[in-house]
Structures are given as C-alpha cells and as structure tokens.
Amino acid sequence: MEKAVEDGVNVLSLSIGGSLSDYYRDTVAIGAFSAAAQGILVSCSAGNGGPDSGSLSNVAPWITTVGAGTLDRDFPAFVSLGNEKKYRGISLYRGTSLSSGLLPLVYARNASTSSSGELCSPESLIPAKVAGKIVVCDRGGTPRVQKSLVVKKAGGLGMILANTDTYGEELVADAYLLPTAAVGQKAGDAIKSYIASGSNPTATIALGDTELDVQPSPVVASFSSRGPNLITPEILKPDLIAPGVNILAGWTGAVGPTGLPEDKRRVTFNIISGTSMSCPHVSGLAALVKAAHPEWSPAAIKSALMTTSYTTYKTGETIKDIATGNPATPFDYGAGHVDPVAALDPGLVYDAAVEDYLSFLCALNYTTNQIKQTTHRDFTCDSSKKYSLGDLNYPSFAVPLETASGKRGGSGASTTVKYTRTLTNVGTPATYKVSLSSQTPSVKITVEPESLSFSQAYEKKTYTVTFVASSSPSGTTSFGRLEWSDGKHTVGSPIAFSWE
C-alpha cells in the first residue's frame, strides 16, 4: 500500500479481508490511513462471512467498505425428476451434456463411507453406489467445484448441488467438471424427499441459455458480511453494496476456471462471486467520480457514492436479503446499492480530513502511541477538549443505545444522544430541507436546523441530530433514514439503532 501511494495512484482497491482487530493492530487500516491522508480513496471488501451479524472486516471509517448484491443475469440449469417435477437451478458447465432420458439418482449420504457423506468430501463416495448415476451433494464443508470432481472420480455422471438452510435460496454459478445443477434449499429438500420416498429415483439435468432482466435485482448476497460494526458500533458498516455475485472477471491462464489442479481447461475470463468482486466495482466508480471532480477528497467521493445509493426497487419495495427472503436493512447494505450516474452529482457531501480521523481516534481514547501506530503521526489529544464519536462527519448514522437496567430501568428511562454533521455544497446554490423516517416509535429524532441554504459552491453548513430513545430489550435493532433534498438532489443517510 505504501508503494502504491509512492507510485501516485488515485484509488486503492483491496479485495482482501481478515479478522477484526483494533485499528492500531489492523495492517489494512494502517496502510489505508496513510493513503487517505495523501488523498487516495481506499475501497475494501466487507468480507464473505454473511449472513451472520457482525461478520464484517475492514471497518475503519477512512475505508470504503463494500458488501455484495446480485445482478439481473442468470445462468439457468434445470433438474427433471422421474415423478415429472422440474426444478430450476444454476450452472456454468458447458461440456458434454447428459444423454437424453432419465438416469438413476442417489443421495451422497446413502453412497458414502463418511459420517458426513452428504458433503461429497474427497474419497468419501463408494464408486459401486454412484457409477452411472446423478449424485445429490449438500453444499458446505468443501469447495463447491471440488464436489463435482469427487463425483466424477467415483464414476458419477452428473451432480445436483443442494443448498442447506445455511445458504437458503442463494445460487452461485460455477464451472463444474461434469453436468451439474446447483439448486436452492427448497428444491434440494424436495429432490431429497423424492429420493427417500421412491424405490427407483431418476433424474436428468438440462442446461439453459443465459437469462437477462431477472427480477428482483439486486438482492443482498447471503455470503455478504453484515453489520453491526463490532469494533466501533457508532460507525455504520458496510458503507454500501455493489454487484458481487456471478461477475464476469479476468482470469489467469495458470489454472483452470475451478482452480483445481485436475482442471485442464483454460479460460481468459471466469464467473466469480464474493465481496472481492463488489469492491472493485466501487473502486472503478470512485475513479470515475475522481475524474469528474479531481479536487474532491476521498471522504467526499465516498459520501457521493453513499448518499446517492438506492435502497428500494422501482416498485418502492425495500431491497431483499436472499438469506431470509425478507427486506434487507442498513446492517446488510449500508447506505444502499451504488448508483453510478447519481454519484457524479450528489448536491452535498459529508467531507472529512485527517484532523477529523485524529479526533475520532481521540474519541476512542487512543493513547499517543496507539495513534502513532495507526497514523504514523505524532499527535496528542487535547485534554481540555471533549471528543465524541458521534461528531465524525460520516455519511451514515449508527446509534448504539444501552438497555436500561436497575432501579430506574423500566420503559420510563430515556437516553439522549446528539450527533453533529457538516454538509458541503458541491452543486448550485439551493435550499435543502430535511425529512426523517423511522421504524420505531421508541426513538424520537429531531434535526436542528431543519433547512440549510447554500449560496455558493463549497459553502459548509452544520446541523445536529438529537435522538431521544426509550429503553428496548437488549439485542433489539431498528432503522431509520435522514434525507436532505432541494427538489433535485436527495442526500440520503441510513440510521441504525441497536440496544445492548
């Protein structure tokens, strides 16, 4: 990262992640701080630890943290059973198709030497029980593509990869080594119960043509790492989502599309899924915004990408989470799904500079030594100043609240939290009015002032948000939204409340 700074890059794209640690121990956060201080935007993957909550990495506020959504493109495959039922799945296999007609079908658990035989781990299948058959393997435990190699080595002719409840209906396309359809949990369960109920189960797999304009799209990928931010709950992460499922991506000639040594195919492009794919989308869009507005800071560019993101479909419904089938929340998508064109003209931005991040570290009660480890700067916090995490000029709001306990516990006790923000005008002179929405009546939100008038470019105006919250049970979360609009631009910020 230091070398890239030296080379004069404008954007750093890091599709890597790791475990969570304090910023002064986090190498990516440390490298990103020095880059941001030089005016370089750093975009990082949120991680592939979803759908578990608090599974994020790369949460420093000077990093743009990117989760993953789907595209409106599909690579369908179809499973037809002997009972005339048909199920839709997904596959990138494009080799020799299965001969027409139905083939014997077996569940790997019933054809294995292993106690977890359904996972089709290497060497776990009994060739005599799978030869000439289509094998149903459960997703999980070992790489998806490796399972197809295990089935092939044991003499199987095809594979149905069935999602378990961990993966729900999320389908990820892979270049399997034999005819394969990956199916969602509902289809997988139906296929397995058909095998269990019949004496001679049969099936076949057919591969469809690429489909476009698949809806709903985007949905939040099940694997996309989720908030809340366990290191600093006052900073909402991820920041936003971008396309990260079944992405057409350049590929090395050194290995086959599966990466397995037995895979002798060679391709220049592959289809890949992960927040490693969504991060570079945002890096490229940041470069686009930087080209249009070379004088903007990394924080201003990130703000433009965040405040113009969308959280609903054209129907007005909230973006869905494929892990649950329910509406997703800011802990899943942050400010929303990136909107490339809108980001070029955000109207207002939440700007921040090195001094703001130093104050943030002071608010975390970092020692002079810890600040130096994080920033490579000698800086001592001003003991006469009251630093607040709620005052970092961030484009989103996360409000951790304490569940009342003890004598004054009860629902009567309320907490007041104030966050201050400053907006910079990057559009034409205009007056912006605030609007608020919240899911919960237990938090009253007020903004002061309710209207901001800008008469020139780069003029700054400050406002304060006051949250008055009554107590809720520990573990409760709720969400809201704060928007400034001049009739042409909408500057949107998600709000996340969590009671501990």
Side-chain angles (χ1 to χ4, degrees):
M1 292 171 83
E2 286 167 351
K3 183 66 183 136
V5 172
E6 200 182 297
D7 288 345
V9 302
N10 296 111
V11 178
L12 269 173
S13 189
L14 280 87
S15 288
I16 54 176
S19 54
L20 274 180
S21 57
D22 287 313
Y23 306 122
Y24 59 89
R25 290 199 189 98
D26 180 338
T27 45
V28 173
I30 294 164
F33 189 96
S34 295
Q38 298 290 330
I40 298 163
L41 182 133
V42 182
S43 163
C44 292
S45 299
N48 301 332
D52 295 348
S53 74
S55 47
L56 292 157
S57 58
N58 298 325
V59 297
W62 49 85
I63 287 173
T64 302
T65 311
V66 189
T70 60
L71 290 172
D72 61 352
R73 175 179 62 200
D74 230 341
F75 304 100
F78 302 94
V79 175
S80 301
L81 302 181
N83 63 2
E84 301 195 336
K85 292 254 167 56
K86 193 172 178 182
Y87 299 96
R88 180 191 168 107
I90 193 170
S91 185
L92 287 177
Y93 177 78
R94 280 298 174 267
T96 315
S97 299
L98 291 175
S99 54
S100 58
L102 297 166
L103 292 167
L105 180 66
V106 64
Y107 184 27
R109 181 183 283 171
N110 308 328
S112 172
T113 53
S114 158
S115 59
S116 53
E118 66 277 3
L119 296 177
C120 297
S121 306
E123 316 296 327
S124 67
L125 296 177
I126 302 164
K129 292 194 175 181
V130 303
K133 298 180 181 176
I134 291 174
V135 182
V136 177
C137 301
D138 283 356
R139 186 171 164 189
T142 58
R144 299 178 299 271
V145 286
Q146 191 182 49
K147 296 174 194 281
S148 70
L149 180 63
V150 171
V151 171
K152 190 176 184 177
K153 280 184 173 171
L157 294 181
M159 176 176 84
I160 297 168
L161 182 67
N163 275 7
T164 56
D165 57 0
T166 311
Y167 304 99
E169 298 307 306
E170 173 174 75
L171 298 179
V172 177
D174 294 294
Y176 296 99
L177 290 154
L178 82 174
T180 296
V183 297
Q185 183 193 358
K186 290 176 188 144
D189 289 352
I191 293 165
K192 286 182 268 192
S193 63
Y194 162 68
I195 293 172
S197 63
S199 49
N200 285 313
T202 55
T204 189
I205 297 166
L207 301 162
D209 293 324
T210 301
E211 287 182 1
L212 301 173
D213 203 28
V214 176
Q215 297 304 331
S217 166
V219 294
V220 177
S222 182
F223 61 75
S224 188
S225 287
R226 315 301 174 96
N229 174 347
L230 300 180
I231 295 286
T232 315
E234 293 80 2
I235 302 293
L236 179 63
K237 292 280 179 171
D239 289 314
L240 72 181
I241 61 167
V245 180
N246 302 334
I247 303 300
L248 186 66
W251 191 250
T252 174
V255 292
T258 60
L260 297 169
E262 296 88 346
D263 189 352
K264 301 302 176 204
R265 299 170 295 179
R266 291 296 178 265
V267 292
T268 51
F269 284 87
N270 202 352
I271 296 280
I272 311 177
S273 297
T275 52
S276 286
M277 294 289 106
S278 57
C279 161
H281 275 88
V282 167
S283 311
L285 293 173
L288 200 66
V289 176
K290 178 81 177 168
H293 305 285
E295 71 285 3
W296 286 11
S297 71
I301 293 170
K302 170 195 200 154
S303 174
L305 292 165
M306 286 173 66
T307 64
T308 57
S309 287
Y310 58 90
T311 58
T312 58
Y313 302 116
K314 291 189 171 65
T315 58
E317 285 178 86
T318 299
I319 289 175
K320 284 196 162 61
D321 177 1
I322 200 162
T324 60
N326 297 328
T329 76
F331 283 151
D332 308 321
Y333 55 61
H337 189 286
V338 71
D339 181 339
V341 177
L344 292 168
D345 180 22
L348 306 174
V349 292
Y350 293 90
D351 206 355
V354 168
E355 299 73 49
D356 299 287
Y357 298 128
L358 290 169
S359 295
F360 165 79
L361 297 175
C362 292
L364 289 174
N365 295 317
Y366 271 30
T367 63
T368 303
N369 194 30
Q370 288 168 336
I371 290 174
K372 180 149 193 176
Q373 285 172 273
T374 312
T375 67
H376 298 316
R377 287 163 186 253
D378 292 305
F379 183 82
T380 306
C381 302
D382 180 345
S383 56
S384 66
K385 200 169 160 192
K386 191 176 179 333
Y387 295 98
S388 162
L389 292 170
D391 291 345
L392 179 67
N393 203 32
Y394 215 69
S396 56
F397 297 86
V399 189
L401 297 157
E402 281 185 28
T403 297
S405 59
K407 277 175 264 186
R408 296 187 310 110
S411 54
S414 70
T415 315
T416 301
V417 181
K418 284 184 191 257
Y419 281 21
T420 303
R421 293 289 189 270
T422 300
L423 283 161
T424 303
N425 182 29
V426 292
T428 48
T431 296
Y432 285 79
K433 291 193 164 52
V434 77
S435 63
L436 294 162
S437 59
S438 174
Q439 294 173 348
T440 175
S442 58
V443 184
K444 299 279 176 285
I445 313 171
T446 52
V447 176
E448 182 61 39
E450 292 179 358
S451 134
L452 298 172
S453 288
F454 298 89
S455 55
Q456 57 200 43
Y458 297 107
E459 186 179 352
K460 292 179 186 290
K461 290 275 163 95
T462 297
Y463 69 94
T464 302
V465 191
T466 304
F467 305 100
V468 180
S470 51
S471 185
S472 283
S474 182
T476 307
T477 56
S478 187
F479 305 94
R481 196 163 171 81
L482 181 154
E483 290 183 348
W484 291 96
S485 179
D486 65 348
K488 181 186 172 207
H489 306 92
T490 299
V491 185
S493 296
I495 306 170
F497 302 106
S498 48
W499 282 264
E500 287 304 325

